[in-house]
Amino acid sequence: MPTQPRTQTRNWKPIIKQFEAVVGRRGVVRRKEELLVYECDGLASYRKRPALVVLPRTTEEVAEAVKICDRNHIPWVARGAGTGLSGGALPVEDCVLIVTALMRKILDVDLENQRVVVQPGVINNWVTQTVSGSGFYYAPDPSSQIICSIGGNVAENSGGVHCLKYGVTTNHVLGLKVVTPEGSIVDLGGSVPEMPGYDLTGLFVGSEGTLGIATEITLRILKAPESICVLLADFPTIEAAGQSVSDIIGAGIIPGGMEIMDNLSINAVEDVAKTGLYPRDAGAILLVELDGLQVEVDTNKQRVADLCKQNGARNITTASDPEKRLKMWKGRKAAFAAAGHISPDYYVQDGVIPRTQMAYVLKEIEALSEKYGYRIANVFHAGDGNLHPLILYDNSVEGALETVEEIGGEILKICVKVGGSLSGEHGIGEDKKCYMNQMFDETDLETMQWVRSVFNTKGLANPGKMFPTPRTCGESANLQKAKQFEGAEVF
């Protein structure tokens, strides 16, 4: 990466005027106390104040803002709603943060062709709300769907409860209008699922802001199923719940979603959400959502119940009416927030494992909890093996953050060792970049960097993310901590 000039040597006043000419005075944030809002994303343990924040409203304004950065050799970082959990939107030194939160228009709704065009600041849940009255919905549904934005979902390739059957964000993005790191406006993909040529849309989704900024996104929407049923089964052990997941998939049943929560998560959720549906003495619960034709759902409901009982399920509750289904899912959707009520801080990881390795990996996580003396709550997308262990700690205790980061790293190494992945939906960002060499060799990483450099030739777009620079975790962590409390110059 090119060496960036330090904040103290840059004359920001003429640059600020250039940005104000594009987005107006109210579209540029530069006061120290206002910049504090943008120091971090959902990974609050890493903080860095940007030099400036720019708030564009159109594709053209984004392009002009990027061109200013390009002309002045200023690194920039794209940010949406700030809910990311891997530090992907963490500012870097002497950078401009380009925030798309004001780009929240739904530009076109085409029900006949089952597609919607939105700006990146549109909240995930707004898409379904817009089309639900006509019998459609948008499938990717992260737990943060009421606050996370589509632009951030595209950057991180977010998933959610229904990714088992319907896929993650990349499976629902038909086309993109993108501002490149030089400020050019290009169209990727189109309005139909398959386009000739290289799949540049697929390449861009999940690139974490390193290849440009998506300013218009064409999404595929789905027709609501004829019937939906949710089953809640409680088990004496989490291993029994995990075995039921394998048996259900092995029987040829592909539910809309399958989620597991352990006892610690169950009690945290009941304290907060008070659903009254999650038995506090259960070792784990399994939520299974079945959808499709009425006859298909009725048949699979009984088959799933039988498989759960074979694995020791104590009770099975079913719900077909929308209100009760929503109540069943309420606890799962509130799991991350609930963790904040039983611990001052928590650190969440996002590894993926083969379903057949679930019991082994959960035992390894339990062993890490005992070894280090930190409680770990397990909440995860069981159907596709996407784990979300929440390590509970108190950041006011000296050395606690470093320890839980070490635990998180050990969990990721276990995931890779059993044939899994470093991330299912949260991305790599700042948090996991130093573990990339656990999964990829030097040739793999170099090839990825070649792809990145084709789009991001000067290295200005979200520099330092995704790839291990420096190479070791220890060096990376020390460098981050050294820079964590540096402030940007105030004008």
Side-chain angles (χ1 to χ4, degrees):
M1 291 292 179
T3 302
Q4 307 299 339
R6 296 184 63 80
T7 304
Q8 289 84 348
T9 63
R10 189 186 296 281
N11 182 4
W12 281 99
K13 289 183 179 179
I15 296 170
I16 290 171
K17 290 186 180 298
Q18 292 177 50
F19 283 122
E20 288 178 344
V22 174
V23 298
R25 290 180 60 86
R26 297 184 66 181
V28 179
V29 180
R30 58 192 179 100
R31 296 180 61 184
K32 181 179 179 179
E33 59 270 26
E34 294 175 330
L35 292 171
L36 289 173
V37 177
Y38 301 97
E39 280 189 322
C40 66
D41 57 11
L43 185 70
S45 53
Y46 291 170
R47 294 177 182 271
K48 180 70 182 178
R49 192 180 304 131
L52 290 175
V53 170
V54 178
L55 297 159
R57 293 176 180 271
T58 67
T59 296
E60 291 71 25
E61 289 182 357
V62 172
E64 290 304 314
V66 170
K67 287 177 183 177
I68 293 171
C69 293
D70 183 64
R71 286 197 303 268
N72 293 280
H73 206 71
I74 301 171
W76 56 268
V77 177
R79 173 187 164 112
T83 60
L85 292 166
S86 65
L90 179 74
V92 299
E93 185 178 8
D94 195 28
C95 85
V96 170
L97 204 62
I98 300 177
V99 179
T100 60
L102 299 183
M103 302 179 68
R104 48 193 179 195
K105 292 180 180 178
I106 295 178
L107 301 171
D108 183 48
V109 177
D110 183 354
L111 297 178
E112 187 175 0
N113 291 298
Q114 295 187 213
R115 57 185 181 233
V116 176
V117 182
V118 303
Q119 288 187 309
V122 169
I123 300 303
N124 176 287
N125 200 39
W126 294 358
V127 181
T128 292
Q129 290 176 351
T130 299
V131 300
S132 60
S134 301
F136 292 88
Y137 73 106
Y138 178 61
D141 57 344
S143 295
S144 58
Q145 68 180 138
I146 61 172
I147 53 173
C148 66
S149 64
I150 294 295
N153 293 171
V154 169
E156 305 296 340
N157 194 21
S158 302
V161 168
H162 292 96
C163 61
L164 169 62
K165 184 173 185 178
Y166 295 105
V168 291
T169 297
T170 191
N171 303 111
H172 299 269
V173 176
L174 299 172
L176 299 163
K177 188 176 290 293
V178 170
V179 173
T180 71
E182 290 76 33
S184 299
I185 300 172
V186 299
D187 291 302
L188 307 180
S191 56
V192 294
E194 298 295 334
M195 297 289 287
Y198 294 121
D199 182 15
L200 297 179
T201 304
L203 177 66
F204 189 90
V205 177
S207 60
E208 302 190 28
T210 63
L211 305 184
I213 303 177
T215 59
E216 292 184 16
I217 303 149
T218 303
L219 301 171
R220 179 169 66 102
I221 54 174
L222 303 178
K223 190 69 177 173
E226 178 181 292
S227 176
I228 303 174
C229 180
V230 179
L231 293 86
L232 190 159
D234 68 270
F235 296 84
T237 67
I238 196 168
E239 289 80 12
Q243 186 59 51
S244 297
V245 171
S246 294
D247 291 349
I248 291 167
I249 299 295
I253 302 169
I254 307 297
M258 281 198 289
E259 304 285 310
I260 286 179
M261 297 172 61
D262 67 5
N263 181 264
L264 183 55
S265 302
I266 291 168
N267 281 280
V269 160
E270 281 299 316
D271 287 343
V272 174
K274 304 184 189 310
T275 69
L277 296 172
Y278 296 8
R280 290 179 177 270
D281 63 338
I285 62 165
L286 172 64
L287 284 161
V288 183
E289 181 170 289
L290 301 167
D291 61 7
L293 298 175
Q294 183 71 55
V295 64
E296 177 189 10
V297 170
D298 289 343
T299 300
N300 286 336
K301 177 172 65 175
Q302 187 59 52
R303 294 173 67 196
V304 168
D306 291 342
L307 291 168
C308 289
K309 288 176 183 176
Q310 289 173 21
N311 285 294
R314 304 182 309 173
N315 301 288
I316 298 175
T317 305
T318 63
S320 296
D321 65 281
E323 186 175 346
K324 189 173 182 181
R325 293 201 323 262
L326 185 64
K327 190 175 182 181
M328 278 192 177
W329 281 117
K330 181 181 178 181
R332 170 60 186 92
K333 293 286 187 178
F336 284 14
H341 287 261
I342 60 173
S343 176
D345 301 280
Y346 67 84
Y347 181 85
V348 61
Q349 271 300 1
D350 169 48
V352 181
I353 59 171
R355 284 187 297 270
T356 54
Q357 297 292 328
M358 193 174 297
Y360 168 76
V361 172
L362 290 172
K363 287 179 181 177
E364 290 293 297
I365 292 174
E366 183 180 359
L368 287 171
S369 175
E370 294 174 357
K371 175 183 175 181
Y372 287 91
Y374 285 83
R375 293 182 297 167
I376 302 177
N378 288 289
V379 182
F380 51 96
H381 306 314
D384 57 342
N386 188 186
L387 306 180
H388 292 315
L390 295 102
I391 309 166
L392 310 181
Y393 74 106
D394 185 348
N395 197 35
S396 66
V397 177
E398 186 176 355
L401 175 59
E402 288 79 2
T403 301
V404 299
E405 287 180 324
E406 184 178 344
I407 298 170
E410 291 300 315
I411 292 173
L412 291 177
K413 291 175 183 177
I414 293 168
C415 292
V416 173
K417 184 179 75 172
V418 300
S421 169
L422 296 172
S423 176
E425 57 178 341
H426 293 176
I428 300 299
E430 180 71 24
D431 183 37
K432 291 181 278 191
K433 66 180 184 180
C434 60
Y435 298 105
M436 286 285 275
N437 53 19
Q438 296 287 325
M439 187 170 178
F440 302 104
D441 62 26
E442 289 189 10
T443 303
D444 295 331
L445 293 172
E446 185 179 11
T447 302
M448 293 182 202
Q449 290 278 31
W450 285 348
V451 174
R452 177 176 179 170
S453 65
V454 169
F455 292 85
N456 189 5
T457 55
K458 295 180 181 178
L460 297 177
N462 210 8
K465 306 292 174 57
M466 292 184 70
F467 300 103
T469 53
R471 290 179 179 273
T472 69
C473 293
E475 290 172 354
S476 181
N478 291 337
L479 179 63
Q480 179 59 38
K481 288 177 178 61
K483 291 183 176 181
Q484 184 169 342
F485 299 106
E486 291 180 9
E489 187 176 341
V490 183
F491 306 95

